[in-house]
Amino acid sequence: MISNILVATDGSETAGRAVELAANLAARLDVPMTVGHVLQHGARAEELNRMAEAEHMVRYTATEARLDIADIPSNMDALFTGTLSGADKERALAVMGEEIAARAARRAKEIGAKDVSTRVVNGDYDEGILEMAKDVGADMIVVGQRGLGKLRRIVQGSVSQKVNQQAECTVVTVR
């Protein structure tokens, strides 16, 4: 039986569907749920743009991280290719990751999940998700599937594929 669910989110639409499924399951089974996010250190700005609601997240991140930016950029590309120092970029990523997890947790509670916690870790996507699952004692992982394109998926595999292959518990992949 399922007793603890981990849902991984990157703030994308597909991850949102994964959060909704996990929250519904957690509510119906009356089990705890952890919303996890892996910080995107080294991620390209284009990937960060896809990751979250860029315009809203950039303004929130710049404000919360107390970044010294004269004009708040309009998207992730402008935020991370501008004049920010390495330390400011790291701080911005941490704030963004915490907010992505917090928003997903709020959504899960709105759906009816009662016991919802968040966890944010550094690392590769798949390894970070697997580490969180082990740390929280999850016996189910819910992840969203993001299309990479046929060639890229063949060469490097997707995060959901890697998690599915390496997890020691049930994995549900949401499209």
Side-chain angles (χ1 to χ4, degrees), residues 6-162:
L6 169 71
V7 61
T9 182
D10 62 2
S12 67
E13 186 178 321
T14 305
R17 289 193 297 272
V19 168
E20 290 175 1
L21 175 65
N24 277 306
L25 287 170
R28 288 191 179 137
L29 297 172
D30 195 25
V31 298
M33 171 182 160
T34 302
V35 175
H37 176 75
V38 180
L39 291 176
Q40 316 287 318
H41 296 288
R44 295 185 322 268
E46 308 86 68
E47 185 175 349
L48 291 167
N49 267 331
R50 283 194 315 262
M51 184 179 76
E53 314 155 357
E55 293 76 21
H56 304 291
M57 191 62 75
V58 169
R59 182 169 301 285
Y60 175 85
T61 300
T63 302
E64 287 299 307
R66 295 181 176 91
L67 301 177
D68 185 22
I69 302 173
D71 296 315
I72 294 179
S74 61
N75 60 46
M76 293 293 169
D77 188 45
L79 179 63
F80 289 101
T81 59
T83 59
L84 288 181
S85 69
D88 282 345
K89 287 178 186 178
E90 295 294 317
R91 198 166 69 243
L93 283 170
V95 167
M96 189 183 338
E98 293 290 342
E99 181 62 12
I100 287 170
R103 287 181 184 193
R106 283 191 299 271
R107 178 69 183 128
K109 288 178 182 176
E110 289 170 3
I111 290 169
K114 294 178 189 112
D115 184 358
V116 181
S117 61
T118 61
R119 192 166 184 100
V120 178
V121 300
N122 290 305
D124 293 331
Y125 301 124
D126 53 328
E127 291 173 9
I129 293 167
L130 294 167
E131 173 189 316
M132 283 186 286
K134 190 171 281 188
D135 288 349
V136 302
D139 46 17
M140 175 183 273
I141 301 171
V142 182
V143 294
Q145 178 185 30
R146 188 179 340 156
L148 293 175
K150 289 180 182 178
L151 179 60
R152 207 164 142 211
R153 186 173 25 249
I154 290 169
V155 172
Q156 64 187 114
S158 71
V159 171
S160 57
Q161 284 176 324
K162 291 175 184 177

